[in-house]
Amino acid sequence: MNRFDYIRAESVADAVKAKASDSQARFIAGGTNILDLMKYDVERPTRLVDITRLPLAEIAERPDGGLRIGALVSNAKLAYDERVRQRFPLLSSAILAGASAQLRNAASTGGNLLQRTRCYYFYDTATPCNKREPGSGCPAIAGVNRIHAILGTSEHCIATHPSDMCVALAALGATVEVEGPGGARSIAFGDFHRLPGATPEVDTTLRADEIIVSVDVPAQDYGQHYTYLKLRDRLSYAFALVSVAVALKVDGGAVTEARIALGGVAHKPWRDEAAERLLVGRPAGLDAFKAVADHILAPAVGRSQNTFKIGLARKAIIRALSQAAAGTPQSQVDKRIQ
Amino acid sequence: MPEQTHTRYGSNIGQPLTRREGLLKVTGSARFAADNHPEGMLYAALATSTIARGRVTFLDVAAAKAHPGVVDVIVPGNTPQLAFDPDDKDSPFTFRMDVLQNDRVRYANQAIAVVIGETLEAATEGAALLAPRYDVEPARMGLDGNETFVPPAVGVGEPPDIDNGGDVDAGLAGSAKRVDATYETPAQYHNAMEPHAIVAQWDGDKLTVDTPSQALTMGQGRIAQLFGIDPANILIRSPFLGGGFGSKALMKGPQILGIMAARRTGRPVKLVLRRDQMFGPVGHRAPTRQTVRMGTDDSGQIQAIHHHNHTATSSFDDFFEPAANLSHTLYAAPALKTTHTAVRLDTGTPLFMRAPGEASGSIALESAVDEMAEACGMDPLAFRLKNYAEVEPISGKPFSSKNLRECYEQGAAAFGWSKRAAAPRTMRDEAGLLVGWGMGTATFPALIFAADARATLKADGTGLVEIGAQDMGQGAWTALAQIAADGLGLDIDQVEFRMGSSDLPNGGIAGGSGHTATAGNAIHAAGGDVIAKLARLATDDQRSPLFGAGNAGVVARDGRLVRRDDESRGESYADILARAGLPALEGQGSAGADQDAQKRYAMHAHGAVFAEVKVDPELGQIRCTRLVGAFAAGRVINPRLVRSQYFGGMIWGVSFALHEEAVMDHRSGRPLNANLGEYHVPVNADIPSLEAILVDEKDSIINALGVKGVGEIGITGTAGAIANAVYHATGVRVRQAPIRLERLLGDLPLAAE
């Protein structure tokens, strides 16, 4: 781990200024990812700006009935917040499907959005990686790629975004509220994370001198018909091979609104709004669910070890839609698949 | 078997005492090796190779030295002189090590330099600044594509090919039913919670080290050999180990580098491996590809078994996973042979890892037996009973004791095995999940090693028992203290028990599931020696109420000697010593293999494991929901600790069957998941309801205490039972561990399609 300066930001403006003045500075909140990255020499920041004292640790009501989630709200606090459990149970469920209790206690909302891929090669500085060292190559494409992406990949990168929480936020149509030297702006969740394209080193559309201040979730009514289904190699503390977040509105057996997002399959939480529209107005049944799954996965490409994810994702989408339609969401306490 | 000179009654052996060091551990006050901070201590960090094969051509030593806080950089050429070539081998237990003897790189994560700093941070960053350059040679990886050869020996000195004289090919040819199946297991790394760590300090030619060791005397000998000093000048302190599993049985290169760093700087040095640095220089379980050929007659009687194991070792040393040898002991077969082949790879040298050979061999053999039972149309338990070995199949020797039938019976009853549906993929739970029940037989050899112990009776009648035994977490501090107390006929609170330091009598190896037998018998014998001397003092003394009773006429109990024929007549230990004017009375004891008994008997612990899994019928997610194991392993010293060992083994079996795998990049030769986030072992959610049944077994042949080992047997049987349960649930036979959901998916269509 390199030597670095450490400063504590006293205000959001302070934090933005500290980061803007040094392109190699990084924010630190929970530290559940940046410290790993520093220990592996993947990140070698010159300066850590501690933002944990900023007044961003509250969950506030929005005028529209939605919630404003401060960037420093811990994953655990968010998951167990009574308003979140009642009004956005999909978000609570997705958070509880991720990481471990210890990590959820430390990890922040903003940090969750900004966590970096868990691609083996990204973490191993002895190997090339276009995300870590642009232009050096992607050893995963012809190497060990069982855990890698099947959607939205490029010839430069097949890494996935590891978050569970973000899959739910994508489905819920959240916005990311940021501040920078030029003031505040709002980024639609679907625009926040990027596909790798030719620049896999850029994970998000957040500018280097901006800071996330909150994640806003608009009011909605998916409390009855939702689920977060996560498939993984062990029942806790493992990243998703495939995960599916579903939120539906069902009226008289027909779907009136649908949100579907996938995790573990792409460089960003994967939401396909055209597929969602396929469901609207149709009976909540297997035929519609299959059509949706097939639409989402039509562009999927498997590699030597991860082709199974395409078939797994198809089944998982259908199962998740069935769970949501039936109003029997996946429990994150008993890890049994339902 | 040593002659019993007197009778000692103890109330300590057999009691479910809680761990005596438990309070220290849960309060964080147990001092593990890396918790030591002698005055003036420096920190050493390893720089490790990023390639698997080649030469280091450049290290930026100047950059590392210029980093603030860096004190010294050790590279090939400036290492302290060793008295023994680290590439020499003078016994099968002397493993070649990498201690900067040259610029060769033989595996990924090999040490290529040591950076010593005033702080851990300085040393770590100094190591990163070395920015090595290499002449890279292509890595040789995987079980294919490299020259296959027959190893000279497997395990620690067993022949690679063994048979029982029967004609296997003829047996198979004449069989009515046959199975010929190949099973694969991946490389696994020990990953004890506590990494290898050492704090070394020199005082002239005297050396003190704090380091976790499963074998203090062997470690002392190895350090003495390498540094050319008297073993008596080396003190190794190892009161607690945060797990060993075989990887701490021998001094490894990084520990020697820590001692070298202390030598060079003249100051105490601490070196702790990072988790990723444990994937290379400190051993692993080698991958295997095992082929089991088995045949039966029409009645389901096995006619022949051939178990072949193809495995891998390093390019520069020999350790061959003896996986096929598990088949020597379990199932009766008139024709039985085991064979081994191997390749050399650019990895660190494999090493014994909890149930070495047995764990890998068991999942293959137990799966094959399950396949054979099905081919015969028999229940897996009935098939095993039909082929029950009354004598050891490979040798024809009788067993010193074998209560496996009782294990089958009690395990099956507790599990409810009789309700198992014969056909696969026919059982479902109320939620519609596929339910599978499988079983496996567990076995592990009952080993004992050489050890010595010392027992002292003090003037106040309390005892002191000393032995250089090792507690890896298995509970030696408690179980051995129970034996020590009974050995002296005292309550456990009246005995001070010391262990975990090399200045105590040689406690042998904490390995091979033999430590309780080894250290325990030595301790018990030492106590017996003291009591015999004490009894002689009393029975020869006219002033004693025991006068004339004779040694065998005296019983030691509760700190008193009493007459066997009249227990009201006796006196306390303290009184006997006081009258004799003795401040203390010391006795010695030893333990070791009884060569004669070993020639005549086969000695093994046995067990039966029953597993339930539930599998999602479409998504393939596997969950092990229930495990019942019944084990017979001789005398139980502490049922609580024994049960805990069985649980640990069974959990390891879950890991073996469903989780563990070192993911290797075959191009670079690098392990890719060298951390506990990605190298999966089970978490609590993966562990089912566990039940371990302690089946009574008396063995008067095996050793004086009648103790077998319990540390490793729980893995055997379990992994195969789970694999068989997955088959029973799904009808899909996965012959590759760990069993991943994608290996089932193709056979699990959507219900509606």
Side-chain angles (χ1 to χ4, degrees):
Chain A
M1 189 187 285
N2 60 302
R3 290 165 71 86
F4 56 88
D5 291 331
Y6 167 87
I7 57 167
R8 184 182 292 158
E10 303 296 338
S11 67
V12 170
D14 205 22
V16 167
K17 206 160 86 188
K19 187 130 187 299
S21 66
D22 181 349
S23 66
Q24 295 307 305
R26 293 287 182 274
F27 292 131
I28 181 166
T32 56
N33 195 201
I34 185 74
L35 293 179
D36 279 353
L37 293 165
M38 289 171 70
K39 287 177 190 173
Y40 279 100
D41 275 325
V42 174
E43 296 266 11
R44 293 176 68 85
T46 49
R47 172 186 287 185
L48 282 187
V49 181
D50 181 345
I51 57 169
T52 53
R53 307 297 169 97
L54 303 185
L56 304 173
E58 296 305 320
I59 302 170
E61 293 287 345
R62 277 165 40 118
D64 72 343
L67 293 175
R68 164 158 292 193
I69 303 157
L72 291 172
V73 172
S74 77
N75 290 180
K77 179 177 173 181
L78 182 56
Y80 292 114
D81 183 274
E82 204 47 43
R83 292 164 290 179
V84 175
R85 289 165 68 110
Q86 292 300 323
R87 285 146 57 187
F88 304 96
L90 173 62
L91 178 57
S92 178
S93 183
I95 294 169
L96 294 178
S100 65
Q102 294 87 340
L103 287 166
R104 293 193 297 265
N105 284 337
S108 68
T109 298
N112 190 304
L113 269 60
L114 294 174
Q115 64 183 306
R116 310 211 62 190
T117 184
R118 294 283 163 168
C119 172
Y120 304 129
Y121 298 99
F122 175 68
Y123 273 80
D124 187 348
T125 54
T127 63
C129 169
N130 286 326
K131 183 180 279 298
R132 179 167 30 76
E133 270 180 72
S136 63
C138 173
I141 288 174
V144 177
N145 52 38
R146 177 174 178 269
I147 62 173
H148 287 74
I150 52 172
L151 286 165
T153 60
S154 75
E155 61 188 297
H156 304 286
C157 182
I158 58 170
T160 61
H161 192 260
S163 172
D164 291 299
M165 184 179 91
C166 290
V167 181
L169 289 171
L172 294 172
T175 58
V176 185
E177 305 300 320
V178 310
E179 283 185 31
R185 67 182 179 120
S186 188
I187 307 171
F189 206 86
D191 297 331
F192 186 78
H193 295 99
R194 296 179 66 256
L195 290 179
T199 52
E201 70 274 18
V202 185
D203 287 352
T204 69
T205 53
L206 187 73
R207 292 180 199 127
D209 54 6
E210 288 179 324
I211 185 171
I212 300 172
V213 292
S214 73
V215 175
D216 286 19
V217 193
Q220 50 211 219
D221 182 19
Y222 297 124
Q224 287 303 307
H225 297 287
Y226 73 93
T227 197
Y228 188 73
L229 175 62
K230 179 176 179 181
L231 297 160
R232 52 194 143 178
D233 284 326
R234 62 180 169 195
L235 292 169
S236 180
Y237 189 37
F239 295 98
L241 296 168
V242 170
S243 69
V244 186
V246 172
L248 300 177
K249 277 188 204 160
V250 182
D251 188 4
V255 177
T256 58
E257 271 184 54
R259 304 286 183 86
I260 308 166
L262 270 63
V265 296
H267 197 258
K268 60 185 288 187
W270 190 263
R271 188 173 162 199
D272 181 340
E273 295 184 35
E276 293 171 356
R277 284 193 294 273
L278 280 179
L279 263 185
V280 175
R282 293 182 65 177
L286 196 60
D287 288 345
F289 299 163
K290 285 202 291 205
V292 168
D294 291 338
H295 188 276
I296 291 172
L297 294 165
V301 177
R303 310 280 166 173
S304 56
Q305 299 175 349
N306 71 350
T307 304
F308 78 93
K309 280 192 175 186
I310 301 174
L312 181 63
R314 180 170 181 271
K315 290 175 177 175
I317 292 166
I318 294 167
R319 177 71 63 86
L321 285 166
S322 305
Q323 287 181 345
T328 53
Q330 175 63 41
S331 163
Q332 307 301 349
V333 179
D334 177 350
K335 310 283 179 186
R336 193 172 73 179
I337 303 296
Q338 293 162 340
Chain B
M1 180 178 164
E3 194 186 337
Q4 203 79 357
T5 55
H6 63 280
T7 303
R8 285 161 287 163
Y9 290 122
S11 55
N12 301 294
I13 289 177
Q15 295 301 314
L17 300 189
T18 55
R19 286 166 198 271
R20 304 186 91 208
E21 82 287 10
L23 190 64
L24 289 179
K25 285 182 176 168
V26 299
T27 56
S29 39
R31 185 178 285 237
F32 288 80
D35 296 331
N36 290 285
H37 296 85
E39 179 127 2
M41 187 184 78
L42 296 169
Y43 295 81
L46 295 186
T48 52
S49 64
T50 54
I51 64 165
R53 182 182 174 207
R55 284 176 51 248
V56 179
T57 56
F58 174 77
L59 290 167
D60 195 347
V61 174
K65 280 191 166 162
H67 187 71
V70 169
V71 172
D72 199 0
V73 179
I74 311 182
V75 295
N78 73 5
T79 57
Q81 179 95 36
L82 292 178
F84 186 87
D85 182 346
D87 279 320
D88 254 4
K89 219 169 159 64
D90 62 352
S91 90
F93 279 100
T94 308
F95 282 86
R96 297 187 174 106
M97 54 173 62
D98 293 278
V99 289
L100 306 178
Q101 61 264 42
N102 54 46
D103 61 6
R104 286 296 310 173
V105 172
R106 318 199 266 203
Y107 51 90
N109 296 329
Q110 176 192 318
I112 56 172
V114 180
V115 178
I116 304 160
E118 295 286 353
T119 63
L120 175 62
E121 290 78 8
T124 303
E125 179 62 6
L129 292 172
L130 288 170
R133 291 203 289 269
Y134 305 93
D135 264 350
V136 186
E137 295 165 46
R140 294 161 294 192
M141 301 298 294
L143 289 171
D144 300 306
N146 295 295
E147 192 195 340
T148 295
F149 62 97
V150 175
V154 298
V156 278
E158 297 158 79
D161 297 353
I162 300 178
D163 64 60
N164 69 350
D167 186 336
V168 165
D169 289 329
L172 289 170
S175 287
K177 300 274 172 26
R178 277 181 290 273
V179 162
D180 182 342
T182 298
Y183 307 88
E184 294 201 25
T185 65
Q188 301 173 349
Y189 284 76
H190 303 73
N191 273 311
M193 283 291 275
E194 177 203 30
H196 290 64
I198 189 165
V199 176
Q201 27 186 340
W202 288 90
D203 178 8
D205 255 0
K206 290 198 165 154
L207 172 67
T208 303
V209 297
D210 296 287
T211 196
S213 170
Q214 295 173 240
L216 289 160
T217 302
M218 252 178 25
Q220 201 181 29
R222 182 65 160 142
I223 295 170
Q225 176 188 57
L226 285 164
F227 289 90
I229 56 175
D230 185 346
N233 279 352
I234 301 168
L235 174 64
I236 307 177
R237 293 182 293 218
S238 184
F240 307 109
L241 287 79
F245 313 123
S247 76
K248 293 169 182 163
L250 304 167
M251 285 294 148
K252 307 301 292 181
Q255 287 157 297
I256 300 303
L257 287 168
I259 299 172
M260 287 166 66
R263 184 86 169 183
R264 220 181 112 81
T265 55
R267 287 169 64 177
V269 168
K270 180 194 304 203
L271 190 155
V272 182
L273 286 191
R274 290 195 332 205
R275 181 61 57 183
D276 58 314
Q277 294 173 338
M278 295 175 70
F279 285 69
V282 294
H284 65 281
R285 197 194 302 274
T288 72
R289 181 183 298 143
Q290 303 173 59
T291 300
V292 180
R293 296 189 298 148
M294 192 184 297
T296 67
D297 65 13
D298 281 325
S299 75
Q301 196 78 51
I302 295 174
Q303 302 301 302
I305 300 174
H306 176 202
H307 190 160
H308 175 73
N309 176 35
H310 179 58
T311 185
T313 191
S314 69
S315 67
F316 58 95
D317 210 344
D318 288 356
F319 181 83
F320 300 95
E321 190 77 11
N325 291 357
L326 180 93
S327 285
H328 292 166
T329 57
L330 273 182
Y331 300 104
L336 169 62
K337 77 171 172 183
T338 56
T339 54
H340 291 83
T341 56
V343 290
R344 292 198 178 276
L345 304 181
D346 295 307
T347 66
T349 305
L351 191 65
F352 9 88
M353 174 163 155
R354 202 172 185 185
E358 288 86 4
S360 310
S362 176
I363 191 169
L365 178 65
E366 293 305 317
S367 296
V369 163
D370 200 65
E371 297 197 47
M372 194 76 248
E374 190 183 38
C376 295
M378 291 176 71
D379 173 81
L381 176 54
F383 180 82
R384 284 171 172 84
L385 288 167
K386 170 106 183 161
N387 292 285
Y388 194 86
E390 301 293 351
V391 295
E392 189 181 48
I394 198 70
S395 66
K397 291 191 230 175
F399 292 99
S400 63
S401 62
K402 178 177 176 179
N403 216 358
L404 176 57
R405 266 203 188 84
E406 193 67 21
C407 296
Y408 284 140
E409 195 168 309
Q410 292 191 27
F415 186 83
W417 182 258
S418 62
K419 297 190 200 74
R420 178 180 181 270
R425 205 161 173 161
T426 54
M427 290 170 66
R428 295 248 183 180
D429 75 356
E430 66 287 348
L433 295 174
L434 298 169
V435 176
W437 288 3
M439 68 167 297
T441 309
T443 187
F444 198 81
L447 303 178
I448 188 166
F449 305 102
D452 303 306
R454 181 167 59 228
T456 309
L457 201 55
K458 297 191 264 193
D460 63 359
T462 65
L464 167 67
V465 175
E466 299 167 289
I467 184 165
Q470 299 90 187
D471 194 324
M472 307 177 284
Q474 83 276 38
W477 274 112
T478 308
L480 295 181
Q482 290 174 258
I483 297 171
D486 278 12
L488 285 170
L490 287 168
D491 186 84
I492 196 165
D493 295 326
Q494 297 291 304
V495 178
E496 183 188 348
F497 179 60
R498 290 186 192 153
M499 55 170 265
S501 183
S502 69
D503 55 355
L504 302 173
N506 174 15
I509 305 163
S513 295
H515 203 39
T516 308
T518 300
N521 277 294
I523 287 167
H524 203 252
D529 189 34
V530 170
I531 297 301
K533 288 175 179 169
L534 188 72
R536 209 168 304 123
L537 282 177
T539 56
D540 289 352
D541 187 338
Q542 295 189 16
R543 293 168 293 175
S544 168
L546 302 168
F547 177 68
N551 224 340
V554 168
V555 175
R557 184 165 53 205
D558 297 334
R560 294 172 61 81
L561 291 185
V562 296
R563 290 185 70 112
R564 187 183 298 279
D565 56 7
D566 180 0
E567 296 206 358
S568 68
R569 292 167 67 191
E571 60 183 333
S572 74
Y573 296 173
D575 287 347
I576 300 170
L577 289 177
R579 196 172 51 242
L582 290 175
L585 191 56
E586 190 179 294
Q588 314 288 336
S590 63
D594 178 343
Q595 304 291 347
D596 182 51
Q598 290 203 333
K599 276 196 201 91
R600 289 188 289 132
Y601 295 98
M603 302 178 177
H604 305 276
H606 292 91
V609 181
F610 298 83
E612 177 185 83
V613 302
K614 293 189 176 180
V615 181
D616 187 282
E618 295 172 347
L619 301 167
Q621 185 115 329
I622 304 164
R623 186 183 193 186
C624 183
T625 46
R626 207 152 59 89
L627 279 176
V628 175
F631 302 93
R635 188 177 194 180
V636 169
I637 302 298
N638 180 323
R640 181 192 302 269
L641 296 173
V642 166
R643 194 167 279 116
S644 165
Q645 285 293 292
Y646 290 148
F647 285 166
M650 290 159 76
I651 289 167
W652 202 302
V654 175
S655 195
F656 200 115
L658 300 179
H659 300 290
E660 260 184 271
E661 175 176 21
V663 177
M664 309 295 290
D665 186 298
H666 282 206
R667 298 161 300 180
S668 66
R670 292 184 60 75
L672 293 178
N673 57 346
N675 62 74
L676 290 182
E678 320 287 338
Y679 182 92
H680 282 184
V681 296
V683 296
N684 281 329
D686 296 297
I687 296 308
S689 146
L690 292 172
E691 184 177 353
I693 299 165
L694 279 50
V695 174
D696 278 343
E697 187 177 74
K698 293 198 173 37
D699 192 324
S700 57
I701 294 162
I702 196 149
N703 53 58
L705 285 172
V707 170
K708 297 180 181 178
V710 298
E712 294 163 90
I713 188 170
I715 306 170
T716 72
T718 303
I722 293 168
N724 295 337
V726 170
Y727 171 75
H728 186 242
T730 62
V732 184
R733 178 68 67 177
V734 180
R735 298 187 182 88
Q736 193 174 5
I739 300 173
R740 301 250 187 248
L741 56 74
E742 67 263 33
R743 292 168 188 155
L744 302 175
L745 277 178
D747 293 289
L748 300 177
L750 281 174
E753 289 189 335

